[in-house]
Amino acid sequence: MLASLRSVRRLTAHGSLLFGPFPHFSRTLPSFLFPIPPSSSLCSAAATVRPSEDSSAGCSILSRHVLAAEEVPEKFHHMDTYDAIELALDSVVKVFTVSCNPNYLLPWQNKSQRETTGSGFVIHGRQILTNAHVVADHTFVLVRKHGSPTKYKAEVQAVGHECDLAILMVQSEEFWDGMTSLELGEIPFLQEAVAVVGYPQGGDNISVTKGVVSRVEPTQYVHGAAQLMAIQIDAAINPGNSGGPAIMFNKVAGVAFQNLSGAENIGYIIPVPIIKHFLSGVQENGRYAGFCSLGLSCQPTENAQLREHFCMRPEMTGVLVSKINPLSHAYKVLQKDDIILAFDGVPIANDGTVPFRNRERITFDYLVSMKKPAEKALLRVLRDGMEHEFSISLGPLQPLVPVQQFDKLPSYYIFAGLVFVPLTQPYLHEYGDDWYNTSPRRLCERALRELPKKAGEQLVILSQVLMDDINTGYERLSELQVKKVNGMEIENLKQLCSLVEGCLDENLRFDLDDERVIVLNRNNAKLATSRILKRHRIPSAMSTDLMVEKSTFSEASKVACSS
């Protein structure tokens, strides 16, 4: 169950804060039983340098790992291939998922039910680790261990769509009989051997493929649209492998999750630091905590004239701050045209990279993403020729237009046949794989580029008009953003619903993009809404999340609307 990176790479240039299209995963359907070849085996692997486990001292463990890592393993430790396979056989499971994706063009209904499969493996605490896209929008999940004909019901305990990881729990004691947990290892070095274990397409039995590490760098995660560290390997990873472990020297080096379409034997695994960050967040908070961001868009300073203009001395290196997210703590501390010289004591090069292990380099975003929510980072900044040090609190940041929206129903509000929805990238994905070119251009550009001005802000659009006598002549005004309702600027869909439901005026006026205006008689519109819902077999005029708000509409909204 793998996703293609081709569309991601094609649209890299379209935005530095929000990213391009990320097509849905094509999960493999259950297949017939084919035994694995007897010659399948695991490769030997080498031990890696272990970073300090102390994460509380001043500089983060990741920064220390970056500064200190010039060592490589002195020798490779070989292990018995049969023992490695036996270890995996008692841990790796096949995951059967029944899922039902929402229809964003008709948000009151779902698409057809699908049955798909993936892989997973047991970790400490009687937990099964798999990919988030294996269980995304699930309605029912089963797991089956190797050599057993029985499928056991599993519950999704936690899911992090951003990092494409999920934790499953199985209540049956029978399932855990004979199961062993796999231990997490470290980031492998280049050319170290790994073996990917899972249930790929082409058979029903477990499969083992081997390869070597080709590259370690931040990569676009197709499912969650995040830029996080990933390991590229040349092992054959096919649909159905998703969620299976990549084993190196008797330990897990990563989780298989996507490949590069159009290329042979180029797969990607999620490295252990990302896995540990996800697991620790779930353990500490009881749910997925997210990955931190500075909320900055930065420009390299590789041009000598640019560096001279910003008073950078010859020995100085860093990146130029070009845009700051208003919701971030950095918005209160940093300024446009600041030069970030170092992050937690780690110097940042003019191309935005920092040292990483044995003469490798990696973008400094990796150091940021590995911070825990609310943790502080020390930035050394050059401003107007003077050096400063700022302590900035980090945390996950939500974009103005959500990039992904799994495991929840879309929000919508229908009034007089006008269907209002918040703009999301999944909504734009309904225009097809080439949605960047086929979706409304203005909405697409806003989805990729605009930043929120305040928390909870949404871009509310008129997605379509369900035709009726009440809205004749307005049918061509769909796919436009709603700016105001009776003169009140719209911040989100809940506010729009509140203003419409609480309005006491005779008429309702909607101001849209392109200076377009819709005016409806309030009483006639309410009567029309009922017959339109009945005609189109729509169960409710609003989504469940808005129904809760309907009972708490404030008198202030009524007064503001009537005025």
Side-chain angles (χ1 to χ4, degrees):
M1 183 186 308
L2 304 167
S4 168
L5 287 176
R6 173 172 289 173
S7 59
V8 176
R9 296 185 183 276
R10 187 175 65 241
L11 293 179
T12 303
H14 292 312
S16 56
L17 297 177
L18 294 174
F19 307 105
F22 304 94
H24 296 293
F25 288 83
S26 176
R27 287 176 278 193
T28 180
L29 297 175
S31 51
F32 295 101
L33 180 65
F34 289 97
I36 59 175
S39 60
S40 297
S41 63
L42 290 175
C43 295
S44 61
T48 59
V49 179
R50 296 174 180 268
S52 169
E53 295 297 329
D54 180 15
S55 60
S56 59
C59 186
S60 68
I61 61 171
L62 294 164
S63 301
R64 292 197 296 270
H65 181 54
V66 167
L67 289 172
E70 284 296 329
E71 304 176 43
V72 294
E74 295 181 358
K75 62 180 180 179
F76 288 82
H77 302 272
H78 295 274
M79 62 175 293
D80 187 84
T81 302
Y82 179 79
D83 290 342
I85 294 178
E86 284 297 311
L87 180 68
L89 295 184
D90 292 333
S91 175
V92 180
V93 300
K94 188 169 186 177
V95 182
F96 301 82
T97 304
V98 178
S99 60
C100 197
N101 300 332
N103 188 332
Y104 286 89
L105 294 181
L106 302 174
W108 49 86
Q109 65 184 34
N110 288 329
K111 296 179 180 178
S112 300
Q113 178 176 284
R114 297 191 305 156
E115 296 181 7
T116 55
T117 66
S119 305
F121 62 96
V122 177
I123 58 174
H124 67 278
R126 286 195 168 189
Q127 301 177 112
I128 298 175
L129 188 65
T130 186
N131 282 144
H133 72 257
V134 173
V135 294
D137 294 320
H138 68 278
T139 58
F140 198 70
V141 180
L142 297 170
V143 296
R144 189 188 69 197
K145 55 185 181 181
H146 175 68
S148 171
T150 306
K151 298 176 183 176
Y152 300 87
K153 183 180 179 181
E155 299 290 340
V156 179
Q157 182 191 29
V159 60
H161 293 288
E162 184 181 19
C163 59
D164 203 359
L165 291 171
I167 298 174
L168 306 181
M169 301 289 287
V170 178
Q171 298 298 328
S172 173
E173 289 295 329
E174 179 185 345
F175 169 81
W176 295 105
D177 184 28
M179 297 296 287
T180 59
S181 62
L182 292 179
E183 184 180 349
L184 300 179
E186 304 294 343
I187 302 176
F189 284 86
L190 300 182
Q191 290 302 302
E192 285 196 305
V194 296
V196 178
V197 186
Y199 291 87
Q201 65 182 7
D204 192 52
N205 217 354
I206 200 167
S207 169
V208 180
T209 57
K210 63 181 181 179
V212 298
V213 174
S214 307
R215 183 180 292 148
V216 180
E217 65 180 4
T219 301
Q220 207 81 293
Y221 280 39
V222 176
H223 178 68
Q227 185 90 0
L228 298 172
M229 174 179 280
I231 300 173
Q232 179 182 317
I233 61 176
D234 67 357
I237 299 179
N238 297 305
N241 266 125
S242 286
I247 297 178
M248 181 190 72
F249 189 54
N250 219 20
K251 293 183 180 180
V252 174
V255 178
F257 75 116
Q258 65 188 31
N259 68 1
L260 184 61
S261 73
E264 293 185 3
N265 293 344
I266 296 183
Y268 294 87
I269 62 176
I270 303 172
V272 171
I274 302 294
I275 300 172
K276 288 183 175 179
H277 188 281
F278 167 73
L279 295 176
S280 64
V282 173
Q283 183 178 5
E284 294 172 7
N285 305 300
R287 58 182 179 83
Y288 171 64
F291 284 77
C292 292
S293 170
L294 270 174
L296 304 178
S297 176
C298 296
Q299 175 185 339
T301 59
E302 296 173 292
N303 186 277
Q305 299 163 95
L306 182 68
R307 294 196 298 271
E308 182 180 355
H309 176 77
F310 288 102
C311 304
M312 294 178 67
R313 297 190 297 274
E315 70 275 11
M316 286 182 172
T317 60
V319 290
L320 174 67
V321 176
S322 56
K323 190 182 294 185
I324 309 176
N325 190 320
L327 301 185
S328 66
H329 181 242
Y331 188 77
K332 304 174 183 178
V333 180
L334 300 181
Q335 299 177 7
K336 188 179 184 301
D337 292 345
D338 280 349
I339 303 291
I340 302 178
L341 304 175
F343 182 92
D344 270 350
V346 181
I348 301 174
N350 293 328
D351 63 352
T353 62
V354 293
F356 180 70
R357 305 193 312 180
N358 182 36
R359 292 184 294 175
E360 298 174 64
R361 299 194 68 84
I362 194 170
T363 60
F364 84 98
D365 292 338
Y366 170 66
L367 301 181
V368 178
S369 65
M370 288 294 97
K371 289 281 192 178
K372 294 182 179 180
E375 190 176 353
K376 294 185 180 295
L378 186 65
L379 269 65
R380 184 155 52 89
V381 174
L382 180 68
R383 179 182 296 170
D384 299 326
M386 301 291 293
E387 289 191 45
H388 305 269
E389 284 195 347
F390 298 112
S391 179
I392 295 180
S393 179
L394 304 177
L397 294 174
Q398 299 301 320
L400 176 62
V401 177
V403 179
Q404 46 87 7
Q405 202 170 25
F406 298 101
D407 302 325
K408 61 183 296 187
L409 295 175
S411 296
Y412 71 90
Y413 177 62
I414 302 174
F415 184 74
L418 308 180
V419 182
F420 301 101
V421 300
L423 179 62
T424 63
Q425 281 203 29
Y427 172 84
L428 297 176
H429 294 168
E430 297 285 3
Y431 287 86
D433 290 341
D434 194 25
W435 62 268
Y436 182 78
N437 294 315
T438 57
S439 62
R441 172 58 51 190
R442 183 178 301 177
L443 297 182
C444 186
E445 289 298 321
R446 288 176 178 171
L448 295 175
R449 302 188 185 281
E450 286 197 17
L451 295 174
K453 298 181 178 62
K454 57 181 69 175
E457 184 181 1
Q458 294 176 323
L459 291 183
V460 181
I461 64 172
L462 174 60
S463 66
Q464 60 178 305
V465 178
L466 305 176
M467 286 304 300
D468 186 80
D469 292 339
I470 192 73
N471 54 42
T472 301
Y474 295 147
E475 62 272 10
R476 295 184 180 180
L477 299 183
S478 60
E479 299 176 341
L480 293 177
Q481 181 184 351
V482 182
K483 297 287 192 178
K484 297 179 182 179
V485 172
N486 279 6
M488 293 287 293
E489 292 191 1
I490 298 302
E491 296 179 1
N492 51 51
L493 185 61
K494 289 182 180 180
Q495 183 207 16
L496 182 145
C497 178
S498 174
L499 291 173
V500 173
E501 291 291 321
C503 183
L504 300 178
D505 281 357
E506 181 181 356
N507 293 325
L508 271 163
R509 170 175 171 151
F510 299 87
D511 288 270
L512 312 178
D513 262 346
D514 291 336
E515 305 301 327
R516 304 297 182 180
V517 176
I518 292 177
V519 176
L520 296 169
N521 179 273
R522 179 174 59 88
N523 291 331
N524 293 340
K526 286 187 175 181
L527 293 174
T529 300
S530 298
R531 67 173 179 264
I532 292 172
L533 294 179
K534 183 177 180 180
R535 182 186 305 146
H536 290 271
R537 300 180 182 87
I538 301 174
S540 174
M542 62 185 72
S543 52
T544 306
D545 58 323
L546 296 182
M547 289 181 184
V548 178
E549 296 294 320
K550 184 178 180 180
S551 61
T552 58
F553 289 145
S554 66
E555 291 298 323
S557 295
K558 295 181 180 180
V559 173
C561 187
S562 61
S563 63

